[in-house]
């Protein structure tokens, strides 16, 4: 049986208005604009307003994606939100997004796969459409990392930002869309990158709050080591599965975690910088939203045209990694 071609037919992204510059962090922790720029490539990031949450960012991005696809929310059969920062622990962000988009009944669930979440979600959406289970799926990656960031830890607080990106995934013209997908995980339980407290293992207590265990903790050098291996490996695998070569890539959209990780991957993959989209300087690491925001910007900048081979590669907590190869469908 011939499988349907499935791809993205509309995209939208949204970042909150407030900007935190490196100079703002110089006032909070012992750091410098020079250190942050050199070591990470980040110049500023966006922070959400106190009274807003991940579902608000996701809803705004979803509206833009629907508009971009020329569709209404009633045309959608399923909502998937990828996030590690849902509004609440025991209610999915996707259900809240469903309500905010003004619809009922459409099934909705969250995916938790760290910064690889959007790549995981696209993979799931593709399978569900190819199996005939659903027709049009809203895939959203959204994060409010500013509210889980330890503002006393200079090793992590400068890295993260807030934002959301949404995509409408649907059947597309034959031969276009997602050509291949490769996802993987290396489970670990020693907090290389996690929020140690607030889950079922260690519910929050006065002690965990005092120890700031309710915020992101990371072993930066270990994550770095993992990322510089996983990134090129996942990209190569996905490109191979698509029957292509690295040289066939028109645009590589990497997870925007650290400019040095991206540069290392570029070197290992032997891909020139003009084929790699970078916007880390403006947003920092927005986890699940990162590759989606970058893809939305690249499209708006005219850097993607129909037929282009576009590759999204991400890695993140879990640890997880993954890469999706698309032949751009519109
Ligand atoms: N400003 C100034 N100095 C800082 C700093 C900051 N914001 N953050 C850390 N440092 C200091 C450390 O305290 C340490 O100082 P010391 O030598 O006096 O102890 C020094 O820089 C080196 O720290 P280390 O953690 O070994 O640095 P690094 O070279 O690994 O760079 C990161 C730190 C966070 C930039 C880097 O590890 C990284 O990007 N890792 C991957 C993170 C990531 O991508 N996470 C998300 C994955 S989805």
């Amino acid at each position: 049986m011939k499988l349907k071609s499935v791809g993205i037919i509309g995209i939208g992204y949204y970042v909150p208005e407030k900007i935190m510059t490196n100079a703002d962090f110089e006032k909070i922790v012992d750091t410098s604009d020079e250190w942050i720029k050199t070591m990470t490539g980040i110049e500023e990031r966006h922070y959400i307003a106190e009274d807003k949450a991940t579902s608000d960012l996701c809803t705004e991005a979803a509206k833009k994606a629907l508009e971009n696809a020329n569709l209404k929310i009633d045309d959608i059969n399923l909502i998937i939100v990828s996030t590690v920062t849902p509004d609440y622990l025991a209610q999915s962000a996707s259900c809240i997004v469903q309500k905010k988009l003004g619809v009922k009944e459409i099934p909705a669930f969250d995916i938790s796969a760290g910064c690889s979440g959007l790549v995981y979600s696209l993979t799931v959406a593709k399978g569900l459409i190819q199996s005939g289970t659903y027709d049009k799926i809203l895939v959203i990656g959204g994060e409010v990392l500013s509210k889980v960031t330890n503002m006393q830890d200079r090793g992590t607080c400068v890295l993260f930002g807030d934002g959301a990106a949404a995509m409408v995934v649907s059947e597309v013209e034959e031969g276009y869309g997602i050509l291949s997908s490769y996802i993987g995980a290396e489970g670990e339980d020693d907090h290389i990158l996690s929020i140690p407290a607030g889950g079922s293992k260690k519910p929050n207590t006065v002690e965990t709050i005092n120890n700031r265990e309710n915020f992101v903790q990371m072993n930066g050098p270990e994550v770095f080591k993992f990322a510089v291996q996983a990134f090129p490996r996942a990209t190569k695998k996905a490109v191979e599965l698509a029957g292509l070569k690295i040289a066939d890539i028109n645009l590589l959209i990497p997870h925007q975690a650290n400019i040095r990780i991206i540069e290392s991957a570029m070197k290992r993959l032997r891909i020139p910088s003009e084929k790699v989209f970078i916007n880390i300087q403006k947003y920092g690491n927005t986890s699940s939203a990162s590759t989606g925001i970058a893809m939305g910007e690249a499209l708006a900048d005219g850097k993607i045209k129909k037929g282009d081979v576009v590759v999204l590669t991400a890695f993140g907590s879990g640890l997880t990694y993954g890469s999706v190869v698309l032949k751009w469908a519109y």
Side-chain angles (χ1 to χ4, degrees), residues 30-32 35-36 39-40 115 154-155 158-160 193 218 220-221 223-224 255 257-258 260-261 285 315-316:
D30 180 13
T31 190
S32 67
W35 191 95
I36 302 170
M39 296 298 280
T40 73
C115 306
R154 67 177 182 170
V158 300
L159 302 176
F160 301 108
L193 176 52
M218 180 180 71
V223 175
F224 197 94
H255 170 42
N258 185 312
R260 292 184 298 131
I261 294 173
N285 180 347
F315 52 86

Side-chain angles (χ1 to χ4, degrees), residues 3 14 23 128 161 301:
L3 290 171
Y14 179 81
L128 288 170
D301 289 357

Side-chain angles (χ1 to χ4, degrees), residues 48 123 312:
I48 200 167
T123 307
L312 303 186

